[in-house]
Each structure stands twice: as C-alpha cells, then as structure tokens.
Amino acid sequence: MYNPTNALILVDIQNDFLPGGALAVPHGDEVISVANQLIPHFELVVATQDWHPREHASFASNHPGQEIGNVITVEGLDQIMWPVHCVQNTPGAEFADDLNTDRVSHIFKKGTDPHFDSYSGFFDNGHHTATGLSDFLKAKHVQRVFVLGLATDYCVKFTVLDALQLGFETVLIEDGCRGVNLNEGDVAAAIATMRQHGAEVRQTAQVLQPAS
Ligand code: VGL
Ligand code: ZN
C-alpha cells in the first residue's frame, strides 16, 4: 500500500466517454479494469466528473451553424465544439457501471459553469475557478498524484499539467488512459507534453511493483 501522501485521481470514467456513449473515446472501457485493479493500493482515491448544464458552451448544438470538431472562441478561449455529453443528472454523466467507486472519498465535478469548459480536474480552462481538488489534496498532505482515466488528450492531460503546476509529483498511468485522437497523433503529443512538463509516465505493472 502506498503511503498516504499518494493519491489516485480517476478522471472522467463516465458512460458518455465509453463505447456507445455520446463522446465515445475509442476503447475507453478498457480503463475501468485498470482503475479497479489500482484502487485497493491507494489510501486516498478521488474522482473527477464532467458535469455540464444543457446550455453548456462546449456543445456544438448550442451554437447555430457550428459542427462537432470546429474550434470557436468563447470568452476569449479556444473552444472545441463537442457533442452534447455528460449532462447533469443524465445516465451519460454517471460513472461507468463496472467502476468500483466504493473507496472514492470525494468526487470533483467540473464543467458546471455554462460559459467555460473545464478539462482539468483542478480548474476551468480559463483558470477562473478551482474545483477544490487542490485544497482537498493539500489538506490531506498529498505530495504525489497518480492519474488515469479519460481522455488522455483532454481531461487527463490538463489534470496532469495543473497537478504539476500546483507542485504535486505527478505520475501518468499510461495504460490506464485512452484518448480521443481528434487528429492523428494527439495522444502521443499529449503524453510527450505531460512528460516535458515533468510527469513520470508509468504502466500499471510498474506502479504495482515499484522497482526497488
Ligand atoms: C472531455 C472533452 C469534453 C474529457 C470532457 O473528459 O477528456 N473531453 N469534455
Ligand atoms: Zn465535457
């Protein structure tokens, strides 16, 4: 068991990001068993949950004439036009049925402000509002976070980059993530960026059997 200064962050393992969901991440369901395997090895486990109001600015359908995948400017920030997904209190926003959430001590909802998207589990994309995740981890004296979930090239990436910026040692569990790859190479580029910013990139087997 890792000591209590480590926390596991489960990013957006929600129905809409699984095959058949509104914003399906290819093979997104494969992260569930990785998460379930790792959870018992951490004293502290938290989860993020994409949790949008229906009128959210990231939904293409809220911008007449826009199509999914277009990039527009909203409140001064680039905003990708996504399909309607993870609408509050809908089945698509629920955690994957098979995800073991029993030991999740806190859920941090994000993307609740209709005007701002929020890829990171720590802040909205404009860094206007904190979700409380950083304060929560710091109150528990967490020094190192392990991150897995969906999607590698969006919410995982920005959660990892914010964690590093906030001063957490940050481990990306690569085989516990799957990406959207809107453009070919996006996942590889995201992993390279996380590494450049100081993330350690590891596989589940290495996390479970740390080199002595
Ligand atoms: C995500 C796009 C839009 C994610 C959330 O969880 O990576 N991606 N909303
Ligand atoms: Zn979203």
Side-chain angles (χ1 to χ4, degrees), residues 14-195:
Q14 297 169 255
N15 291 327
D16 270 342
F17 298 124
L18 304 181
L23 207 176
V25 177
H27 303 280
D29 52 331
E30 292 169 11
V31 311
I32 300 168
S33 60
V34 178
N36 288 341
Q37 198 186 345
L38 281 163
I39 286 167
H41 297 272
F42 286 83
E43 239 157 79
L44 188 64
V45 182
V46 298
T48 67
Q49 190 173 27
D50 214 35
W51 192 250
H52 298 309
R54 256 182 214 285
E55 66 275 21
H56 197 254
S58 75
F59 298 163
S61 58
N62 289 330
H63 302 272
Q66 293 297 335
E67 287 172 26
I68 290 160
N70 287 356
V71 182
I72 67 168
T73 303
V74 175
E75 309 267 347
L77 295 174
D78 278 359
Q79 176 63 60
I80 300 175
M81 296 286 88
W82 296 111
V84 173
H85 66 279
C86 295
V87 173
Q88 295 170 5
N89 303 305
T90 64
E94 294 306 316
F95 290 118
D97 285 345
D98 294 338
L99 181 68
N100 184 354
T101 54
D102 295 353
R103 294 196 54 252
V104 172
S105 38
H106 209 284
I107 295 163
F108 294 88
K109 291 179 159 50
K110 62 190 184 60
T112 57
D113 185 323
H115 301 105
F116 296 102
D117 214 350
S118 187
Y119 293 150
S120 161
F122 291 95
F123 301 101
D124 63 87
N125 289 1
H127 274 227
H128 301 283
T129 310
T131 59
L133 176 54
S134 179
D135 287 346
F136 180 88
L137 296 174
K138 288 190 170 162
K140 304 241 186 256
H141 308 290
V142 171
Q143 292 170 339
R144 183 156 62 156
V145 295
F146 292 71
V147 183
L148 64 74
L150 304 170
T152 320
D153 36 357
Y154 295 97
C155 294
V156 170
K157 172 184 166 186
F158 289 99
T159 299
V160 164
L161 294 179
D162 277 344
L164 289 163
Q165 203 179 25
L166 288 160
F168 296 102
E169 262 182 71
T170 307
V171 179
L172 173 74
I173 302 170
E174 186 179 8
D175 59 331
C177 301
R178 294 293 183 278
V180 179
N181 260 338
L182 216 49
N183 304 295
E184 211 184 306
D186 280 355
V187 167
I191 291 169
T193 301
M194 291 184 261
R195 214 193 283 270

